[in-house]
Amino acid sequence: FMMAVGTAASERRGELGDEVAMMGRKKLCVRASVQIVVFLFSFVSAISANSQLASEIGTGIHGAGPGSGVGEETQGSKGPARSLLQMPERQEKFTLLSSVVAHTDGNELIRVNVETIIPQFSYQCAWKPDSTGYRSCGTPAPAAEAANETRSSATIVSPPATAVECRTPTWSSPEGWYAITDFYLVLTDGNGNEFKISPAWLNMTKFYFLEPPEFVKSPPENSVYVQGVDCAGIDLDFEAALDVAPARFILEYTPLIPRRSESFVGVDPISYDEVQRRTDPMQLQRFDEALDLDPYMDDGTYCIGPKTSTLQLPYQGSDGPQMKVSKSGDTLNVMDNVQQPSSLSLESVTDCNTTTSTVCGRLNWNVSRGWEGYAYEVCVVAAPAGVPPWALEDNRRFFTRNCIYVVVPKCSKCVSPSDSLYTIAKNYGKSWLDLWSVNIDLINTTKANPSTDETWNTVGDLAYPFVEQGTTIRTGSPYRIRPQDSLFDVSRRFGMELTSFLALNPDVVSGNQDLSMTGKMVCILASGSKYDNCPAQVEDPNPLYFEEVIRYDERGVPVKVPNDRYPLPPNSARAP
């Protein structure tokens, strides 16, 4: 019995071993079968896809033979616009265009990154005028007939064989059209079947053919204006024309600091070459907010926003100019002229005159205190409107600049409606008498005869000599720095605080105050009260007396003479 059982068990183990072996062989067969099925499925799918693509291509528009445009530039204006097959989205898209602007003269190289290159097919770049063109925001796109496309042959870039390059055509916009186009690629197989490759981010991408605008009205290039503080003498008109696009005006501003031993003192005319020789440029500031008026729309175009643009400088708030700091660390009551112009406005209108101009503007600059002693390059720049600002940033060749130069001399100022000798002198930490002492022509008074009478602050009289609005007065006297001079020594010698000296000389406080300035002309306003023997008096905004009076000598020349009753007011006993 045991032998029978053992024999049966042995036979059963053998059967089990055979079953295990058979199961292993079945698993291998199943795994192999699955792989074969996957392979066959992929093969059949590929054949199906190729059949579908062949069917799509087979229904395409033929014409890639001689003269079709493959390998050469073709002008679509010679025939009607052609309908192209749209490349299935899973097949191919282009992902990057090196530039979306080009000159109308053409022959500029652009690169297009493509997701998948098909070497057996040929590529062309195509441009088709946009049927909507530029339009004002909120205005429906005008109805227009389909325009013809223009093509340029493209070559595959190898390596890495993931991009094509082509050259832009010479562009001539159809009548009534701006040079804004739809850009796409055209793929052609060996049988002449064509279909379109669109960008991955939109159905179409906009491409702009541009030219630099031309000024039709402006001051002569590089004109130089000598402009005193508060004199409001810069008031200039500009007009520019651009046929292929609307245009806007923006502003560029560059302070020109006098070199170490150079200065601008006085109002004598000066040439452009002289300005260039005597100055060094500082940081250029560009104010191009007008370009941001044209918003981006869902169809990939920019509409023309408000046609009227006004730039007012300096900006208010945290973006405005900061106060200057003196050598001793004290803050001066003077704005920093490097950051922005003062009291400057640029008003412009797009499409102001459709027959001669596409943008008109007026520049007005009333230079403020703190800008003295410098020259400034101020450029009105005509730029295409309705074009992506990021595209123009790298293509400043489409900007046209018209620049003027403004020299603001030290030691002089125009009297504004809110000015008096007291307020002007106070800005520099000085007495109005100090200011009067450097202006010998300030002799005009009212209700008194200056040839015989002393001038008092009685009813009907003026507390200060009468100064006509707009009159240019001196705010100090020029002094040339000697080799042994320091700023502190010069200030002390003439009875001035250092902050007062620097306020009169903004070109000194801007980074070069510790350098040797031998030969440089500076402006000083001496303080007579520092040297007189009179008791200390508190400066009053409306003084009751004058320290000096005007007399006329035998030749009729006005002469300032000491007032023997100073510092007592009128109707008081005479001083001993």
Side-chain angles (χ1 to χ4, degrees), residues 436 453-455 546-551 559-563:
W436 186 47
D453 299 337
E454 299 173 345
T455 305
F546 286 98
E547 185 176 1
E548 297 174 303
V549 294
I550 300 296
R551 302 293 187 192
V559 179
K560 292 180 180 179
V561 298
N563 179 4

Side-chain angles (χ1 to χ4, degrees), residues 186-209:
V186 175
L187 195 100
T188 309
D189 72 355
N191 296 322
N193 302 306
E194 299 179 340
F195 50 95
K196 183 188 300 182
I197 304 175
S198 299
W201 56 91
L202 289 171
N203 289 332
M204 291 291 176
T205 190
K206 301 302 176 183
F207 196 98
Y208 304 81
F209 287 92

